[in-house]
Amino acid sequence: MFFDKLREGAQGTTSKIILGAIILSFALAGVGSYVTQPARQIAAVVNGDEISAQALENAYSNERARLQSQLGEQFSQLLADPAYVAQIRRSVLEQLIEQRLIDQKIDDLQLRASDEQVRNAIRSLPEFQVDGQFDNERYLQLLSRNNLSPEQLRDSIRQDLNRQMLLNAVVGSAFSLESEAGLLDRLTHQQRSATLVRLPLEQFEASAAVSEEEAKAWYEAHPERFQRPEQVKLNYVLLDAGTVTAADIDEQAIEDYYAANQASYTQPEQRRVAHIMVNKGDDVAEKIDGILSRLNAGEDFAELAETESDDTFTGEKGGELDWMEAGTLDPAFDNAAFALAETGDVSGVVETDFGLHIIKLLEVRPAQVKPLDEVRNSIAERLAQEQAGDDFYQREQRLAELAFEFPDSLDIAAEELGLTIASTDFVAAGELPEELNDTRVINKAFSVELREQRMNSDIIELDTNQAVVIRVLDYRPAAVRDFAEVKAEATELALQDKAGELAQQAAAELEQAWREGSADNWLSERELNSTRLEQVTRESAQDPALLNALFAMPAPDEEPSLSTVSLVGGDIAVLRLDEVNTPETPSDELALVRQGQSRVQGQRDYLSLINALKAAADIEYRQLDSEDDSFF
């Protein structure tokens, strides 16, 4: 087999020479140069502050996930374009730079959210609430699970609030004059009446003719309209996992799995405790020892928790916390709580990252094991999935070996594994069969390496328990299609172009006829009709191009106000503006218009601030490209 051949080859003279060179390189450079971590990479430096490449990668991954969720399959296709990927990465880096400039400006202005603001912001976070109320136990559990200290969360929240303060100062200070808002409101509610004549393109196509020479000339003048994308012709084998159902699983296998995984079907012991907490400080030891002494003297735990605990959220309930399992809270707290032997026992002083605690055991729920009958079906389904996955993994490994050992054909791999070799004709990236419509496959199929070597690809994993190996049989680069191939299309496009020119000429004639007062005769000769548009507003259900043209036209004076516009679908329309009615007073929406203007002005002010900070900053770009932009 292939790996046996590798082992045999390792004993040859050539292999020994290569191995000796590798050993020499280790001796000269030192092993440390191969195993030590690379130096910290920097994406940009902003006024001396560094933005790490890792920070860029994290922000980039978040943005990519957001776009994937928003655009779906379309985003996967866009990722095939390196220019698009580079644009996203540059945009993310610019956002990080802007954020760093804002933070530096905040420091210069000495803006700082108060402790009370930070506390209220944390209490209002829905992640820490139960039934709409802040829950201290949930707060502590989530911090512990995310490996965050209260100080880290506090600093992060404070920084966000600081940024919001600056944003509010800039955006909130913008304003709009009532006269400006009134003018905009009146213009928004303006109504216009006009006369419209539509010149149907099909009418001019009927009277136009295009010779083969004209069609070919149009084809040569517009090669971008006849571009054929790069194409490949492929062979491929698709490997799917076999179907294994829960009914195929032996009862003994289910019982063996249940016996070997008792912990998975055991509800662990749960405890409910109360605590008294004292924040860390200069006199913390004296205070906590005093409380412990009072407890030992017989004072009530719940009353002391209510009056003495710095954890005011639980103090109101006598220090009680919800049910907990081992390993869910701070390790020191967790160990002390589960070391208490009897209900009512009280611990000594326990120190955690949150402060000093005294813990009382209130209630214990013993561990319970779910019976086999209750979990039999889920075990069978799990074993079925595992068996299907194992079978697939073995076949996948064998497919990878065979495709590599016999790189110039898929025949042997298909024969041994019982797979079918499928083929495509020449296809572009967006025309691959459905099972190959995956960005990873597309990238491989159109890679220079695969098409030049004409060898099997590495195995490409698709969905769960599905993989494919492809082989490029032929390649056609992007090119302009031959005229003979697109003659009919070129003729049609040239005909539309000529019809459009005739329609534009007719529009110019109609405008002139309107100026001379002979428009009715001109329309009658061509069997065309005019349409009256009465009291049209900017929100009327009309062609957007028509509305834009109508409200851009000057009010009629001694000369008629005329405009020619291309409509959706290709028709040409000629407009004569007859009347403009602008309200004399603002509407009831004036306040909303003024608020909208203020928001727009605030956004402009904020962008101006960003641009000013950038213009004055010393920004050095270090690294924009990732070592791996495949994302897959």
Side-chain angles (χ1 to χ4, degrees):
M1 298 308 294
F2 174 72
F3 295 106
D4 294 327
K5 294 177 182 178
L6 277 182
R7 284 190 287 272
E8 294 171 6
Q11 307 304 317
T13 303
T14 302
S15 297
K16 291 179 179 178
I17 294 173
I18 295 173
L19 183 59
I22 294 174
I23 294 173
L24 180 61
S25 70
F26 271 96
L28 293 176
V31 177
S33 64
Y34 289 85
V35 299
T36 54
Q37 292 293 325
R40 182 170 182 263
Q41 298 293 312
I42 303 302
V45 181
V46 183
N47 292 328
D49 287 350
E50 296 178 345
I51 297 175
S52 69
Q54 187 58 53
L56 172 59
E57 289 304 314
N58 293 341
Y60 180 41
S61 297
N62 292 337
E63 178 65 7
R64 194 180 70 220
R66 185 187 69 82
L67 291 173
Q68 178 70 51
S69 174
Q70 179 179 335
L71 301 177
E73 185 61 32
Q74 180 185 359
F75 181 64
S76 298
Q77 298 173 4
L78 291 172
L79 284 180
D81 182 3
Y84 180 74
V85 173
Q87 178 185 348
I88 298 176
R89 184 174 293 279
R90 182 57 181 256
S91 175
V92 169
L93 180 56
E94 289 298 327
Q95 292 175 23
L96 292 176
I97 290 173
E98 291 174 4
Q99 189 176 78
R100 187 60 56 88
L101 289 169
I102 288 296
D103 290 344
Q104 291 172 352
K105 188 64 176 178
I106 288 170
D107 291 340
D108 291 342
L109 297 174
Q110 297 183 350
L111 293 177
R112 178 181 170 84
S114 68
D115 292 343
E116 183 65 23
Q117 289 174 306
V118 174
R119 188 159 43 248
N120 290 338
I122 293 175
R123 289 171 61 99
S124 65
L125 289 174
E127 293 83 359
F128 300 144
Q129 294 184 354
V130 175
D131 296 330
Q133 298 293 324
F134 179 85
D135 186 272
N136 193 61
E137 181 182 2
R138 182 172 178 80
Y139 164 74
L140 295 175
Q141 287 179 344
L142 288 178
L143 288 184
S144 177
R145 289 174 185 173
N146 290 278
N147 198 27
L148 276 175
S149 69
E151 290 77 12
Q152 288 174 315
L153 177 64
R154 178 200 62 200
D155 293 343
S156 176
I157 294 293
R158 191 187 303 277
Q159 189 64 25
D160 288 342
L161 291 175
N162 291 343
R163 292 170 183 160
Q164 191 63 41
M165 288 171 63
L166 180 60
L167 177 63
N168 291 341
V170 175
V171 176
S173 63
F175 64 93
S176 169
L177 296 175
E178 186 172 347
S179 57
E180 294 175 333
L183 177 59
L184 178 60
D185 178 76
R186 291 167 55 226
L187 290 175
T188 300
H189 291 86
Q190 187 182 83
Q191 296 178 331
R192 294 189 168 206
S193 299
T195 302
L196 176 145
V197 175
R198 182 183 289 267
L199 304 177
L201 195 63
E202 61 182 17
Q203 179 175 323
F204 295 92
E205 288 178 355
S207 60
V210 174
S211 66
E212 182 173 339
E213 290 75 16
E214 289 175 317
K216 189 170 185 180
W218 203 95
Y219 158 84
E220 293 173 347
H222 303 85
E224 72 283 353
R225 298 293 295 272
F226 307 100
Q227 189 82 7
R228 182 190 65 222
E230 61 176 344
Q231 297 176 318
V232 291
K233 182 183 288 187
L234 301 175
N235 272 358
Y236 64 96
V237 289
L238 186 67
L239 178 66
D240 277 303
T243 302
V244 180
T245 66
D248 299 324
I249 304 302
D250 182 70
E251 177 64 23
Q252 186 60 49
I254 295 175
E255 293 178 2
D256 291 345
Y257 184 90
Y258 176 76
N261 295 272
Q262 285 284 299
S264 300
Y265 304 104
T266 299
Q267 172 65 52
E269 176 186 314
Q270 294 181 317
R271 293 192 168 203
R272 190 165 62 88
V273 301
H275 80 137
I276 298 172
M277 185 184 79
V278 177
N279 291 330
K280 293 180 179 180
D282 294 337
D283 59 347
V284 61
E286 180 181 350
K287 182 175 180 180
I288 197 73
D289 288 341
I291 295 174
L292 186 58
S293 297
R294 293 169 66 184
L295 285 171
N296 292 334
E299 291 194 41
D300 184 68
F301 190 98
E303 292 179 359
L304 284 175
E306 184 174 0
T307 58
E308 302 297 336
S309 179
D310 288 335
D311 183 359
T312 56
F313 303 114
T314 62
E316 296 173 356
K317 300 184 295 181
E320 291 185 16
L321 299 172
D322 287 337
W323 290 98
M324 59 180 287
E325 297 176 4
T328 58
L329 295 181
D330 182 278
F333 190 99
D334 201 88
N335 292 335
F338 279 85
L340 298 173
E342 301 291 339
T343 299
D345 284 355
V346 176
S347 73
V349 176
V350 179
E351 182 175 358
T352 71
D353 291 338
F354 306 101
L356 300 184
H357 309 255
I358 301 172
I359 306 169
K360 179 179 180 180
L361 180 59
L362 301 178
E363 193 174 352
V364 178
R365 286 177 180 168
Q368 294 180 341
V369 180
K370 294 181 180 178
L372 176 59
D373 288 343
E374 187 177 330
V375 297
R376 176 178 279 104
N377 292 338
S378 64
I379 291 177
E381 291 174 0
R382 182 186 184 93
L383 292 177
Q385 293 175 358
E386 290 181 355
Q387 183 174 321
D390 291 342
D391 292 346
F392 172 79
Y393 177 76
Q394 294 175 7
R395 287 165 57 80
E396 181 186 35
Q397 294 304 306
R398 186 59 183 150
L399 175 59
E401 292 176 8
L402 292 171
F404 184 72
E405 290 182 34
F406 306 97
D408 56 351
S409 172
L410 292 171
D411 294 342
I412 295 177
E415 181 179 354
E416 180 172 325
L417 295 172
L419 302 175
T420 301
I421 299 177
S423 302
T424 71
D425 198 350
F426 279 106
V427 288
E431 301 170 347
L432 289 172
E434 183 178 355
E435 60 266 26
L436 300 184
N437 188 22
D438 185 286
T439 309
R440 291 161 289 193
V441 177
I442 295 172
N443 289 342
K444 280 289 186 181
F446 288 88
S447 67
V448 175
E449 175 187 10
L450 213 59
R451 71 173 182 243
E452 288 184 351
Q453 294 179 353
R454 295 291 196 270
M455 297 175 66
N456 298 333
S457 72
D458 297 332
I459 197 161
I460 305 170
E461 294 187 353
L462 303 175
D463 293 332
T464 303
N465 292 349
Q466 190 178 64
V468 68
V469 175
I470 65 173
R471 173 178 170 77
V472 177
L473 300 178
D474 205 353
Y475 170 78
R476 290 199 304 204
V480 177
R481 291 178 290 172
D482 293 336
F483 176 70
E485 182 183 351
V486 298
K487 178 180 176 181
E489 183 182 353
T491 301
E492 178 63 24
L493 291 172
L495 183 65
Q496 292 177 6
D497 207 15
K498 179 173 284 190
E501 293 177 0
L502 294 175
Q504 289 288 352
Q505 293 175 8
E509 292 176 4
L510 175 56
E511 285 195 18
Q512 184 60 34
W514 249 323
R515 293 189 185 94
E516 296 173 353
S518 58
D520 290 342
N521 292 334
W522 190 93
L523 294 172
S524 177
E525 291 173 2
R526 291 160 179 78
E527 299 181 348
L528 293 171
N529 297 315
S530 62
T531 301
R532 179 71 177 168
L533 303 178
E534 294 285 356
Q535 304 300 315
V536 176
T537 68
R538 298 175 192 272
E539 288 77 32
S540 296
Q542 297 286 347
D543 187 307
L546 186 149
L547 285 177
N548 290 338
L550 179 61
F551 281 90
M553 296 170 65
D557 198 359
E558 295 181 0
E559 290 289 325
S561 182
L562 305 170
S563 179
T564 297
V565 57
S566 296
L567 303 176
V568 174
D571 289 349
I572 301 296
V574 182
L575 282 170
R576 185 188 69 190
L577 180 59
D578 300 324
E579 185 180 4
V580 177
N581 292 319
T582 304
E584 295 183 0
T585 58
S587 70
D588 295 338
E589 300 174 358
L590 177 61
L592 294 177
V593 172
R594 193 171 183 181
Q595 291 176 8
Q597 278 189 299
S598 297
R599 284 195 297 269
V600 171
Q601 185 59 47
Q603 292 168 358
R604 290 173 180 166
D605 292 344
Y606 184 76
L607 290 177
S608 296
L609 172 62
I610 294 294
N611 292 333
L613 292 176
K614 281 187 173 181
D618 180 12
I619 302 174
E620 179 184 354
Y621 294 90
R622 294 275 187 88
Q623 178 181 330
L624 283 177
D625 299 323
S626 171
E627 294 180 1
D628 178 14
D629 267 336
S630 65
F631 315 117
F632 307 112

